[in-house]
Amino acid sequence: MFKIGCHLSISKGLAAMGRDALSVGANVFQFFCRNPRGRGQVKFGVQDIEDLKELLAANDIGPILIHSPFVINPASVEPQVLETTREVMQQDLEFAGIFPHAMYNFHPGNYLKRTPQEGIENIASTLNFLIKPGQSNWILLETMAGKGTELGRTFEELRAIIDLVEYSEHLGVCLDTCHVWDGGYDIVGDLDGVLREFDGVIGLDKLKAIHLNDSLNVLGKHKDRHAKIGEGNIGLEGLGNIINHPVLRDLPFYLETPNELPGYAQEIEVLRGLFKESL
Ligand code: FE
Ligand code: FE
Ligand code: ZN
């Protein structure tokens, strides 16, 4: 079954977000479980949580993907930043734990004035602080565009992080099509080659989700500017090849394109039209 959905807002509550998913024809979705630019936690009502669980089960929706907020930097060693990062990620993981199949996605972080290697070690130590034995929700490192000192642009960097994490059984990767494209991986001209490289360096068993976005930039610009489906340089044909690729087609796809609900509904419809039920 084609799993396609988009990024949604919790501003009206959890169950209301589930209804938004249904209204756009999504059977998976992603959201921030707090204000994406702040550190404050949102308290959800017990009934709201139950209502969302029921809606997910009744409509066969999932896996849901929780995206970390932007205030964190797991690559930092600065005490204040480190404290906020750990507190926020721990709370988010606790929230994810309410939903058995929820996954948690985060940006690996920026090494700033340190070296990439130090950044990688800091990310791993943050993860070693957070991940206890028995961690059952998947935690996903997002592939990044490599803007500034952003880590996670290369598959090698992601592998290096995973290798330093003790309980890494449920540590995986979310591949963002805009980011890898901006990062220099030619998923339009050589999708097979890029996936072979991913498999060789990280292993396809670690690939758990796709952020499906078009890109405003040409290959390798390290910019990270998402475009609507078919309106960027990856293009409709390239994105169609991605959703139908034998090693990707069973993964959940989450749109993070610049859209409100009607735009998402339209893109989901277009992509459902492009998806081949059998190869
Ligand atoms: Fe992201
Ligand atoms: Fe993304
Ligand atoms: Zn992005």
Side-chain angles (χ1 to χ4, degrees), residues 23-89:
S23 81
V24 297
N27 54 4
V28 295
F29 61 88
Q30 171 183 271
F31 60 104
F32 296 115
C33 66
R34 60 176 70 235
N35 173 350
R37 313 233 167 246
R39 55 181 286 189
Q41 207 181 3
V42 177
K43 282 276 169 238
F44 297 105
V46 179
Q47 190 57 49
D48 198 21
I49 292 171
E50 283 314 307
D51 289 348
L52 177 61
K53 278 188 174 176
E54 213 168 287
L55 184 146
L56 297 178
N59 297 284
D60 207 3
I61 295 184
I64 54 172
L65 184 57
I66 297 159
H67 196 302
S68 68
F70 300 121
V71 289
I72 65 164
N73 182 8
S76 177
V77 278
E78 222 209 289
Q80 198 76 59
V81 179
L82 195 61
E83 194 194 325
T84 302
T85 298
R86 290 182 172 187
E87 182 186 296
V88 162
M89 291 182 82

Side-chain angles (χ1 to χ4, degrees), residues 17 50 71 151 164 176 194 196-197 204 228:
M17 177 174 57
E50 283 314 307
V71 289
L151 287 161
L164 293 172
D176 185 309
V194 172
R196 225 177 298 123
E197 196 174 333
L204 283 167
K228 292 184 184 184

